[in-house]
Amino acid sequence: MRIVHRIAFRPNWWIAAALLVAAGWWGRPLLSGASFEHGFFGLFWYTMLALATVIWAVPAEQGWDGEALYRRWRLLGLLTLLEHRHAPGEFSRIVLEREAHAFRRDSVWLVFEGGQRFVFGHWRAGAANLAWAEALARQLSAATGLPFAEPGAEAG
């Protein structure tokens, strides 16, 4: 059984691409000025856009392929550039961690715990996302054989 959690090709990924294109279009006047300030700020603006584009273009995906957990960084979500694999024996349990935020909705993290931690995914902590995260944690628990620590259970 394969289980994959990926960011690429979701609506927010495409929205981020549109924002990068809009930011590039918006910064065009910085390139046309003859002053040093225009050139400096233009160089800075487009350097930051290039960095953001690289981060956007190499999204990570986490998954279970039936033998090991993996995290892959893929160029445009298609071509694998780097992959890290972890045997389920490296972990002792699966937990859902809730992170409280002061000014926005809380986050929930699906984490494999053990000698090291492996974050499988995170979402905003709305009711639908909490149910989705718990169902995914149960599915991963069944697939990997690791126990799922119920939300609210004591850490041990």
Side-chain angles (χ1 to χ4, degrees):
M1 169 192 324
R2 292 183 50 91
I3 302 170
V4 179
H5 176 72
R6 66 175 49 105
I7 302 296
F9 307 114
R10 290 187 173 184
N12 286 345
W13 193 68
W14 292 110
I15 290 170
L19 289 174
L20 287 169
V21 169
W25 183 261
W26 183 82
R28 287 180 314 115
L30 293 172
L31 298 177
S32 63
S35 70
F36 172 76
E37 290 84 10
H38 269 87
F40 175 78
F41 289 121
L43 178 65
F44 177 78
W45 181 257
Y46 284 102
T47 300
M48 293 300 105
L49 280 179
L51 177 63
T53 302
V54 168
I55 292 169
W56 172 85
V58 186
E61 74 177 30
Q62 294 72 236
W64 166 257
D65 63 6
E67 297 175 6
L69 292 162
Y70 63 84
R71 177 170 289 123
R72 292 179 184 151
W73 288 269
R74 305 183 86 180
L75 182 61
L76 299 176
L78 302 171
L79 177 68
T80 300
L81 300 176
L82 181 65
E83 180 176 330
H84 291 262
R85 297 178 66 79
H86 301 279
E90 296 177 30
F91 307 102
S92 58
R93 68 183 188 157
I94 302 170
V95 297
L96 289 179
E97 294 180 356
R98 192 166 180 154
E99 179 184 10
H101 295 285
F103 298 108
R104 59 186 173 116
R105 218 178 305 158
D106 295 353
S107 296
V108 63
W109 299 79
L110 194 156
V111 181
F112 286 79
E113 289 186 336
Q116 60 182 340
R117 293 168 50 92
F118 180 82
V119 175
F120 195 84
H122 72 280
W123 304 267
R124 287 193 172 183
N129 285 342
L130 284 171
W132 169 256
E134 188 170 337
L136 183 58
R138 289 185 191 288
Q139 188 179 10
L140 284 165
S141 177
T144 62
L146 295 170
F148 169 53
E150 295 291 330
E154 293 296 318

